[in-house]
Amino acid sequence: MTTPDQAAVLVDPDEHRGGTGTARFVLKKIVEALISIVLVIVLFFFLFRMLPGDPVAAMTRDRVTSPQQIAELREKMGVDKPVLVQFGNYFWNLLHGDLGESRLLNNGRPVADMIAERLWPTILLVGSATVLAVLLGLWLGIRAAWRRDSFFDRSQTGIALTLWSVPQFWLGLMLLVVTNGLFPSRGMHSPDAAPDVLSQTLDVLHHLVLPCLTLLAVFYAQYMLIMRSSLLGEMNADYLTTARAKGLRDDLVRRRHAVPNALLPTTTLVFMQFGQVVAGAVTVEAVFSWPGLGQLTYDALHGPDLPVLQGVFTVLASAVVLMNLLAELLYRVLDPRVRTS
């Protein structure tokens, strides 16, 4: 007969291995995310060096500049050194939180300060569009799947596929044409808005309508199609047949049993796609002159202002990688089958 102490000895190693396995999984994913970010930094550094244009020539355009002054500028900006030396200096400064200084947009201003200044407008735009896209996509996806092959299902699926394939900048331009001045087309604030908090808030929301609607129209389609596909996969499951056999109403079967199980892949998709929404906001912000990271990227491309471009794309790429990391960790928490595999 096994005593309680002996049983504890037999059980504890499995529990210990399970905890160790989880810790090893988390550590592995974190290391993979860090490697991905480093590779992105390396890629962007050398990729931006291939862009046409010379930042020194852009700074001295329409100015009488001697060869000696140009040489001094190139030395000050560090572009006179070999590319590998430039990368080593950049990566070392990056490890210390220094993203460099703007060379063209705001000459001498730290890139980190410029990004911090533009981060809130991008978060406001992307956050609003993501929340609305998730709510609308899930609601439509659930009803389309539950009414499979109906007119509602076919029409909503067709609309979603169409919007998903439309370029965001083109859709933004079409919205500008269709609304024809109904909503502001540029910026985030009106110069004649009253200074009180309520007026300023309403003014920002008024400017937010078109860029938010553009992102919403494109990204809700993903959540709608994924939710529809996931719920269709649950429709013929045994547990739903059992629930119906118990006499539960159809809406209760859908709400309490089918939807919670179908939500799993959609929940992780929200985190994975959030980083892509941030990256997708670049073109939308450029169309509507929204003063976020996208507009900053668009302005920096004209130089090109390499430190600004590298800093912005490092932030955007890191957001994508970190959201993917959170999605993988969340999936392991939500799905017991992944934890036990």
Side-chain angles (χ1 to χ4, degrees):
M1 181 177 180
T2 304
T3 64
D5 291 339
Q6 292 172 326
V9 171
L10 292 174
V11 172
D12 285 346
D14 291 334
E15 295 179 351
H16 177 70
R17 282 195 295 271
T20 304
T22 301
R24 188 181 297 112
F25 173 83
V26 173
L27 181 61
K28 175 185 176 184
K29 293 301 178 182
I30 292 176
V31 171
E32 290 177 353
L34 291 175
I35 293 174
S36 299
I37 292 175
V38 171
L39 292 176
V40 165
I41 292 172
V42 175
L43 174 64
F44 283 145
F45 181 88
F46 290 100
L47 184 63
F48 287 137
R49 291 316 185 271
M50 300 172 61
L51 288 176
D54 183 356
V56 176
M59 290 181 64
T60 58
R61 186 180 298 123
D62 300 327
R63 298 179 184 178
V64 179
T65 310
S66 66
Q68 182 181 356
Q69 290 175 317
I70 292 178
E72 290 175 354
L73 274 175
R74 295 184 67 85
E75 181 180 0
K76 179 182 177 181
M77 297 168 64
V79 296
D80 61 326
K81 300 180 178 63
V83 176
L84 291 179
V85 176
Q86 294 182 44
F87 174 74
N89 294 334
Y90 171 74
F91 193 74
W92 176 256
N93 293 333
L94 190 62
L95 291 177
H96 293 80
D98 183 6
L99 295 175
E101 296 178 347
S102 172
R103 296 172 181 171
L104 298 176
L105 300 182
N106 291 273
N107 192 18
R109 188 180 181 192
V111 174
D113 292 347
M114 298 173 64
I115 292 176
E117 182 182 273
R118 301 293 190 100
L119 191 59
W120 160 242
T122 294
I123 291 177
L124 175 63
L125 172 59
V126 170
S128 303
T130 300
V131 170
L132 294 175
V134 170
L135 294 176
L136 180 62
L138 296 186
W139 184 77
L140 291 175
I142 291 171
R143 277 149 185 78
W146 211 252
R147 304 174 188 177
R148 183 178 184 179
D149 294 330
S150 65
F151 173 78
F152 180 85
D153 178 30
R154 291 194 297 270
S155 61
Q156 292 303 318
T157 302
I159 293 173
L161 288 171
T162 302
L163 290 174
W164 198 0
S165 62
V166 169
Q168 296 171 26
F169 73 90
W170 182 86
L171 182 60
L173 293 174
M174 291 301 100
L175 286 176
L176 285 174
V177 173
V178 171
T179 55
N180 192 24
L182 185 60
F183 298 98
S185 60
R186 297 178 61 84
M188 187 175 175
H189 300 281
S190 297
D192 57 347
D196 60 281
V197 176
L198 179 59
S199 298
Q200 290 289 326
T201 301
L202 293 176
D203 182 50
V204 171
L205 292 178
H206 196 209
H207 283 76
L208 182 64
V209 171
L210 288 183
C212 181
L213 185 60
T214 303
L215 286 177
L216 167 64
V218 174
F219 286 102
Y220 98 89
Q222 309 179 65
Y223 305 121
M224 184 266 179
L225 295 172
I226 293 297
M227 187 64 203
R228 176 184 180 276
S229 176
S230 181
L231 188 55
L232 287 176
E234 301 288 335
M235 295 285 283
N236 297 322
D238 293 338
Y239 69 90
L240 294 185
T241 303
T242 303
R244 292 189 180 96
K246 291 180 179 179
L248 293 179
R249 297 195 310 273
D250 198 55
D251 61 328
L252 290 179
V253 174
R254 180 184 69 233
R255 188 171 64 250
R256 294 183 181 179
H257 298 278
V259 171
N261 285 282
L263 273 174
L264 182 58
T266 311
T267 302
T268 55
L269 178 70
V270 170
F271 283 87
M272 294 179 67
Q273 294 296 325
F274 184 78
Q276 296 186 21
V277 176
V278 174
V282 172
T283 55
V284 174
E285 289 185 7
V287 170
F288 295 100
S289 299
W290 187 260
L293 294 179
Q295 182 63 35
L296 180 62
T297 303
Y298 180 77
D299 294 338
L301 283 169
H302 289 290
D305 196 328
L306 297 182
V308 175
L309 288 174
Q310 290 168 181
V312 171
F313 274 85
T314 297
V315 171
L316 295 180
S318 298
V320 175
V321 173
L322 292 177
M323 287 299 111
N324 287 341
L325 172 63
L326 288 176
E328 291 190 80
L329 298 180
L330 181 63
Y331 199 89
R332 187 177 178 88
V333 171
L334 294 178
D335 193 344
R337 295 170 296 182
V338 177
R339 294 198 302 268
T340 56
S341 59

